[in-house]
Amino acid sequence: AQSVTQLGSHVSVSEGALVLLRCNYSSSVPPYLFWYVQYPNQGLQLLLKYTSAATLVKGINGFEAEFKKSETSFHLTKPSAHMSDAAEYFCAVSDPSNFGNEKLTFGTGTRLTIIP
Amino acid sequence: GAVVSQHPSWVICKSGTSVKIECRSLDFQATTMFWYRQFPKQSLMLMATSNEGSKATYEQGVEKDKFLINHASLTLSTLTVTSAHPEDSSFYICSARKNVVYEQYFGPGTRLTVT
């Protein structure tokens, strides 16, 4: 069984400040990990994904995440927050051995607010 | 690109009626599509996995007779909520898996309100 824990349902940062959204996972097999962003009343957009290659993954909109096996973490960061980053962020995990029928297990989400 | 559309984006129906939601992959073929349900300010919960030409696989606790899924072609999957009740009101999101690529592309969602 796999699970994802996102610490902090709400995070507020000032514009221009560092964004850090936390994600810890639990998996019995080496996982694939994803970060998605959701704007109000919209679907999810993939920010980045870890699929067992480089542990530091760069995504869209200046976001990046680092896979740390020893800490079972996949935290999302952005050096300088922008007003347009305000949204809901979801971390997700899947089992890569189940190719073709992979299921994403989502965390509960973190709402990011940017303070002008 | 990998664009997934849903129709309608918002639907209001009366209790006891049925509603059909379409999920289309516009620029790629998808043998596998997924249907999720999202309650307000909560995470996404997988309802079922839809495979082209075969029966859908439902997650535990999801009523297959209430949430009918049909994946009739490589670009279209439909979710029909039968005999809808107010507790079925939710945001329904589909995703489509691009063949060979381990990645799901999500539609914009359909908000269902049952009165």
Side-chain angles (χ1 to χ4, degrees):
Chain A
Q2 298 176 303
S3 65
V4 170
T5 302
Q6 290 185 242
L7 293 175
S9 58
H10 291 87
V11 171
S12 295
V13 301
S14 298
E15 189 175 15
L18 172 71
V19 175
L20 171 60
L21 304 182
R22 299 179 185 275
C23 172
N24 288 87
Y25 69 91
S26 174
S27 177
S28 57
V29 298
Y32 282 2
L33 294 158
F34 307 81
W35 273 101
Y36 288 89
V37 61
Q38 184 181 35
Y39 296 100
N41 297 312
Q42 295 187 27
L44 275 67
Q45 181 181 9
L46 179 68
L47 281 175
L48 48 80
K49 61 180 179 180
Y50 167 76
T51 56
S52 74
T55 56
L56 181 62
V57 182
K58 294 185 183 298
I60 62 171
N61 301 338
F63 285 94
E64 64 181 38
E66 186 171 8
F67 173 70
K68 292 187 176 180
K69 183 178 178 180
S70 61
E71 299 178 8
T72 61
S73 68
F74 190 58
H75 302 330
L76 181 71
T77 60
K78 181 174 181 177
S80 178
H82 192 273
M83 294 300 294
S84 60
D85 295 327
E88 188 86 19
Y89 291 79
F90 292 96
C91 183
V93 62
S94 71
D95 177 0
S97 67
N98 203 10
F99 190 82
N101 194 28
E102 58 272 17
K103 302 176 185 178
L104 286 172
T105 300
F106 285 89
T108 50
T110 297
R111 181 168 299 275
L112 176 64
T113 300
I114 309 299
I115 303 167
Chain B
V3 182
V4 177
S5 70
Q6 283 185 241
H7 178 79
S9 57
W10 196 1
V11 57
I12 301 174
C13 70
K14 292 188 176 181
S15 186
T17 62
S18 295
V19 174
K20 180 184 285 189
I21 302 170
E22 292 185 350
C23 177
R24 293 182 185 271
S25 55
L26 299 184
D27 53 1
F28 66 98
Q29 294 183 329
T31 53
T32 303
M33 292 184 174
F34 303 86
W35 286 96
Y36 296 85
R37 184 173 180 176
Q38 185 180 31
F39 290 102
K41 300 184 180 181
Q42 294 189 28
S43 189
L44 282 75
M45 299 297 294
L46 179 65
M47 298 175 65
T49 302
S50 168
N51 293 297
E52 188 264 338
S54 64
K55 291 184 178 181
T57 302
Y58 291 82
E59 294 301 298
Q60 192 171 7
V62 177
E63 299 176 63
K64 61 180 67 177
D65 294 331
K66 181 169 187 60
F67 298 99
L68 300 179
I69 292 172
N70 183 21
H71 195 155
S73 77
L74 289 173
T75 59
L76 173 64
S77 176
T78 60
L79 168 67
T80 301
V81 183
T82 63
S83 187
H85 290 283
E87 57 265 31
D88 298 324
S89 298
S90 190
F91 196 50
Y92 292 88
I93 302 175
C94 74
S95 70
R97 177 181 159 276
K98 204 172 183 181
N99 289 348
V100 183
V101 176
Y102 201 102
E103 193 168 311
Q104 293 182 30
Y105 297 90
F106 285 79
T110 296
R111 184 163 300 285
L112 170 63
T113 301
V114 184
T115 61

